[in-house]
Amino acid sequence: MEEISVFKVSMFETLMLAVLAIYFGEFLRKKINILVKYCLPASVVGGTIFAIVFYVLYSMKIVELEFDYKAVNQLFYCIFFAASGAAASMALLKQGGKLVVIFAVLAAVLAACQNAVALAVGKFMNVDPLISMMTGSIPMTGGHGNAASFAPIAVDAGAPAAMEVAIAAATFGLISGCIIGGPLGNFIVKRHKLEDPLLDGKEEKAELSGEESTGILMGKSHIVQAVFLMCIAIGIGQIITNGLASINVKFPIHVSCMFGGILVRLFFDAKKGNHDVLYEAIDSVGEFSLGLFVSMSIITMKLWQLSGLGMSLVVLLMAQVVFIIFFCYLLTFRLLGKNYDAAVMAVGHTGFGLGAVPVAMTTMQTVCKKYRYSKLAFFVVPVIGGFISNISNAIIITKFLDIAKSLHAVWIG
C-alpha cells in the first residue's frame, strides 16, 4: 500500500488558512445569492470548501495535512463563551430563567430520542446495537469529545469498529448541523411570518454591500478594553475550573469562562455610566472568536473518515438529520414560545444537537444577520448546549449503552 506523506501545518499557518476560508466564504456569499437566502455562514461555506480540497489532496495520495490548532482553537472558544456571558444582563438572566428550564428538558428528550432512533433504525437495518449507538446522541448532541470518550466502552463490549464509526458520525453531524440550521431558521421565520421590516436585514445588507455597519460606532479604546476584559473573564474561568477540580468536581472550562463573562457584565451594570459601546465591542470580539473557531474546526476536519461509511450507517445518520429537523420545528420552536426568539433557539438546537455549540451559534448569528438579533437566544443556547446538556446527555448515554450491551448479546447470539 502506497504511503502518503504528511505535512505539518503550524498553528499560525492554520490560523491564516482559517481567515482565508472566511474571506472566501464571504466572497461566495456576495456572488451566490442562494447562500444568503438560506443563511449559510461564511465560515461554514469557505471552511467546507477548504476541507474538501484537503480531502482531495489526501484521496489522491498527494499529501495529508496535519494541523496544529487545538490550543489556539480552545482560546477562541473560551473567549467566545466569555463574550456570550458578558451579553447577559440581569434583566436577561431573569427573563431567560424559565426558557432555560424548558430548553434543558427539550435537550435531554432529544438526546434520549436520538438513541432510541439509532437503536430502532439499526434493528431494522440489522446493525450491531453497539454500532447503532455510535450514531445516536454520543456523536450528535455530544460531538467529537463524547465520541472519543464513550466509543471505547462499546469497543470493550465487543464492537471493535465503534471508535471509527463514532468519530465519522460526529464529523457527519458537524457538517449537517452547519448546513441545515440556517435554512431551517429561514423556513420558520417565513412560515410563521416573524419578519419585522423595520429591523430586519440591516446588518447583512451593510456586510454584502461593503458599507459601514448601521450598529453602534466603536472607538479603538473600546475594542482594546473589550479584548482585555475577555482575557480577564477567561482567567476567572480558569480559576473557577481549577477551584472545582481541587474538590474533585469536573467543570468545562468554556462554561467557567461564560460565568467569568457574566461577572464582568454584572460589574459594569453596577457601575455608573452608559456602557453600550463597550458591550458592542465585547460582542464584536466574541463574533471574531466564533468565526475563527468554526472556520478552524471545519478546515481541520478529516473528511476521509466519512468515506468508509457503509450504506446502513449512512441511513442511520440521515435518520438522525431528518428526526432533528422535525423535533426542533414541532417541539423546540413551539414549546419555547413560537416567536422569533424561539425560531432562533430552534436553529441553535439543530446546531448543538447535530454538531457543537459553536455550530449552533454561528448558524444563529447568520440567521440574525438576515433578520435581527435575539439576545435571549444567544444567552439560553450556550447555557444549555455548553453545559447542562453535557450532563444530561452523559447520564442518558450511560443508560442506553447498558441497553445496547444487552441487545448486542442477543444480536451476536
Side-chain angles (χ1 to χ4, degrees), residues 375-392:
K375 286 186 177 181
L376 203 55
F378 276 81
F379 166 66
V380 173
V381 171
V383 171
I384 302 303
F387 175 49
I388 296 176
S389 75
N390 287 340
I391 298 172
S392 60

Side-chain angles (χ1 to χ4, degrees), residues 307-324:
S307 61
L309 291 176
M311 183 53 65
S312 58
L313 292 177
V314 171
V315 172
L316 278 161
L317 292 170
M318 288 306 300
Q320 295 291 349
V321 172
V322 173
F323 175 76
I324 199 171

Side-chain angles (χ1 to χ4, degrees), residues 15-59:
L15 191 58
M16 176 191 72
L17 288 171
V19 173
L20 290 175
I22 293 172
Y23 279 146
F24 186 54
E26 288 175 347
F27 170 77
L28 291 178
R29 275 171 54 84
K30 290 177 182 177
K31 298 296 183 181
I32 306 173
N33 186 57
I34 195 171
L35 299 176
V36 177
K37 180 180 179 181
Y38 291 108
C39 307
L40 294 172
S43 56
V44 172
V45 174
T48 302
I49 291 174
F50 273 44
I52 291 171
V53 171
F54 301 152
Y55 168 71
V56 171
L57 292 175
Y58 176 85
S59 62

Side-chain angles (χ1 to χ4, degrees), residues 153-395:
I153 298 174
V155 172
D156 293 341
M163 179 62 80
E164 289 75 13
V165 172
I167 296 298
T171 302
F172 178 91
L174 192 69
I175 297 169
S176 302
C178 289
I179 293 172
I180 72 168
L184 176 64
N186 186 68
F187 167 77
I188 294 174
V189 172
K190 296 286 188 185
R191 178 80 170 78
H192 294 271
K193 297 180 173 58
L194 302 173
E195 303 100 320
D196 186 335
L198 296 177
L199 299 175
D200 288 349
K202 291 182 179 180
E203 189 174 349
E204 185 174 73
K205 287 174 185 174
E207 179 185 302
L208 293 175
S209 64
E211 298 173 359
E212 290 294 325
S213 173
T214 55
I216 298 173
L217 184 63
M218 294 174 285
K220 174 183 174 182
S221 62
H222 295 111
I223 296 292
V224 172
Q225 187 181 13
V227 174
F228 285 165
L229 288 173
M230 292 303 94
C231 290
I232 291 173
I234 62 176
I236 293 171
Q238 186 68 70
I239 292 170
I240 292 172
T241 295
N242 290 346
L244 291 171
S246 67
I247 56 173
N248 296 319
V249 176
K250 290 184 178 180
F251 202 72
I253 179 65
H254 59 277
V255 180
S256 297
C257 292
M258 187 176 188
F259 285 134
I262 290 173
L263 291 176
V264 169
R265 177 59 184 255
L266 293 177
F267 173 79
F268 278 92
D269 280 351
K271 191 178 177 183
K272 289 183 180 180
N274 188 320
H275 307 293
D276 287 347
V277 179
L278 176 60
Y279 296 154
E280 185 76 8
I282 290 174
D283 183 62
S284 296
V285 172
E287 183 175 341
F288 160 80
S289 301
L290 175 64
L292 282 174
F293 176 86
V294 171
S295 184
M296 272 191 282
S297 297
I298 294 175
I299 68 171
T300 56
M301 285 192 305
K302 297 180 178 180
L303 293 182
W304 50 89
Q305 292 172 336
L306 299 178
S307 61
L309 291 176
M311 183 53 65
S312 58
L313 292 177
V314 171
V315 172
L316 278 161
L317 292 170
M318 288 306 300
Q320 295 291 349
V321 172
V322 173
F323 175 76
I324 199 171
I325 291 172
F326 281 101
F327 186 97
C328 290
Y329 176 57
L330 297 176
L331 290 178
T332 305
F333 169 61
R334 296 168 190 275
L335 293 179
L336 290 176
K338 208 176 176 181
N339 52 26
Y340 179 74
D341 290 322
V344 178
M345 284 186 274
V347 171
H349 202 183
T350 61
F352 77 77
L354 282 175
V357 176
V359 171
M361 303 305 280
T362 198
T363 49
M364 287 164 56
Q365 195 176 76
T366 309
V367 170
C368 289
K369 280 184 179 179
K370 180 172 183 178
Y371 297 104
R372 57 196 182 276
Y373 190 67
S374 169
K375 286 186 177 181
L376 203 55
F378 276 81
F379 166 66
V380 173
V381 171
V383 171
I384 302 303
F387 175 49
I388 296 176
S389 75
N390 287 340
I391 298 172
S392 60
N393 189 33
I395 296 169

